[in-house]
Amino acid sequence: MSIVRLFCGTLLLLSLLGTGLLASTAQQVTLIIKWSDNLDPRQDASLVQQLEEITETRLRYVRPTSGGAHLLRTQEALNSLQLRQLLSELNSLPQLDYAEEDAPVRLNLPSPAGDPSP
């Protein structure tokens, strides 16, 4: 293999990784799920079981949120492509208002005048 072909192949691989077209490192994912009609999986364990059967993904209940949604965690590690497919499948279900990845939110607010902290 020529050095040029190796270099071009490496550049292609790096560009695919950078655009997210290749699956990133797999990891367990925490999901925020809001059932329609305020259904509560703490009172009806079959709700989580139904999602597992539909998506063929093992899920573990974590806790409720303050907004009436619930946190669930995948038992298996998912890569970014698998996560997108899972969320797409969950969001197409009529029994759910929404499903999204639980991701930290950081506000980037300007510091008050004279405050040296970033």
Side-chain angles (χ1 to χ4, degrees), residues 39-104:
L39 294 175
D40 190 338
R42 293 173 298 172
Q43 297 171 352
D44 185 356
S46 71
L47 294 172
V48 175
Q49 292 172 344
Q50 290 170 13
L51 294 184
E52 289 180 323
E53 290 171 7
I54 292 168
T55 63
E56 298 179 357
T57 303
R58 290 182 30 204
L59 301 168
R60 178 177 56 85
Y61 184 83
V62 178
R63 65 176 175 84
T65 68
S66 61
H70 299 270
L71 297 182
L72 280 70
R73 188 161 185 84
T74 62
Q75 296 285 339
E76 295 88 17
L78 304 178
N79 62 39
S80 59
L81 178 61
Q82 292 168 319
L83 174 60
R84 283 194 302 269
Q85 290 172 337
L86 175 61
L87 289 174
S88 175
E89 193 170 0
L90 288 170
N91 280 304
S92 71
L93 298 175
Q95 63 265 42
L96 299 182
D97 285 343
Y98 62 85
E100 61 188 37
E101 181 181 8
D102 182 29

Side-chain angles (χ1 to χ4, degrees), residues 2-68:
S2 74
I3 190 78
V4 173
R5 290 182 79 190
L6 180 61
F7 180 73
C8 290
T10 303
L11 284 178
L12 176 63
L13 178 63
L14 290 174
S15 66
L16 289 173
L17 285 172
T19 60
L21 292 177
L22 288 182
S24 62
T25 305
Q27 60 187 4
Q28 289 181 323
V29 179
T30 303
L31 305 169
I32 303 172
I33 296 183
K34 174 80 165 77
W35 271 267
S36 303
D37 300 325
N38 292 320
L39 294 175
D40 190 338
R42 293 173 298 172
Q43 297 171 352
D44 185 356
S46 71
L47 294 172
V48 175
Q49 292 172 344
Q50 290 170 13
L51 294 184
E52 289 180 323
E53 290 171 7
I54 292 168
T55 63
E56 298 179 357
T57 303
R58 290 182 30 204
L59 301 168
R60 178 177 56 85
Y61 184 83
V62 178
R63 65 176 175 84
T65 68
S66 61

